[in-house]
Amino acid sequence: MHLAYPAVLSALLFCTGLYGVLARRNAILVLMSVELMLNAVNLNLVAFDVWLSKTAQDTLHSGQALTLFTIAIAAAEIGIGLAIVLAVHRNRGTADIDKLRDTAEGPDTGGPDSVGGSDEAAVPPVEKAEATA
């Protein structure tokens, strides 16, 4: 089998995952797209390892070993990411990334970074009255 077949399949999987990360708004679908991209990389690692092992006599199969590490890290990443998404969904009631970003920023309070300015400079600060006994 030629190296081009798994390489093209891996490129298609990676592009599909990249599209999912950039276009989706649901956090769970973004995590699934990241997993698809990692699987595309794993397919490339194994395909190139098999291709290179045909030319060398003593091979260590380092591509396959690296793929096992990648799978283990991807499983941990998906477990932790899914736990975070579920906790956020319980607290906020949505998994939409745009809505979560908007709630994290909060309303514009007219602070020093705001563009329009505010009336805070015109109002003198209120001092606390000291209690005497």
Side-chain angles (χ1 to χ4, degrees), residues 4 9 12 51 64 76 102 106-109 118-119 125 128:
L9 179 63
L12 288 174
W51 182 65
Q64 294 179 12
D102 291 342
D108 188 21
T109 58
S118 65
D119 295 329
K128 292 183 180 179

Side-chain angles (χ1 to χ4, degrees), residues 97-114:
I97 294 175
D98 289 335
K99 290 181 183 175
L100 294 177
R101 187 190 64 217
D102 291 342
T103 58
E105 292 173 356
D108 188 21
T109 58
D113 294 336
S114 65

Side-chain angles (χ1 to χ4, degrees), residues 44-103:
N44 254 345
L45 284 171
V46 171
F48 276 97
D49 182 54
V50 169
W51 182 65
L52 289 174
S53 69
K54 290 180 182 178
T55 60
Q57 295 295 327
D58 297 326
T59 59
L60 295 174
H61 297 291
S62 58
Q64 294 179 12
L66 191 58
T67 299
L68 288 175
F69 285 118
T70 307
I71 290 171
I73 289 174
E77 174 255 335
I78 284 295
I80 292 172
L82 190 59
I84 291 171
V85 168
L86 288 175
V88 167
H89 187 272
R90 283 184 189 156
N91 289 337
R92 304 273 172 95
T94 184
D96 189 6
I97 294 175
D98 289 335
K99 290 181 183 175
L100 294 177
R101 187 190 64 217
D102 291 342
T103 58

Side-chain angles (χ1 to χ4, degrees), residues 109-133:
T109 58
D113 294 336
S114 65
V115 177
S118 65
D119 295 329
E120 290 178 357
V123 178
V126 178
E127 295 181 17
K128 292 183 180 179
E130 292 183 22
T132 55

Side-chain angles (χ1 to χ4, degrees), residues 16-40:
T16 305
L18 185 65
Y19 172 76
V21 167
L22 295 176
R24 299 291 176 195
R25 299 190 188 280
N26 192 345
I28 295 175
L29 291 177
V30 170
L31 286 175
M32 289 174 58
S33 297
V34 168
E35 189 71 24
L36 193 64
M37 290 168 55
L38 286 173
N39 286 332

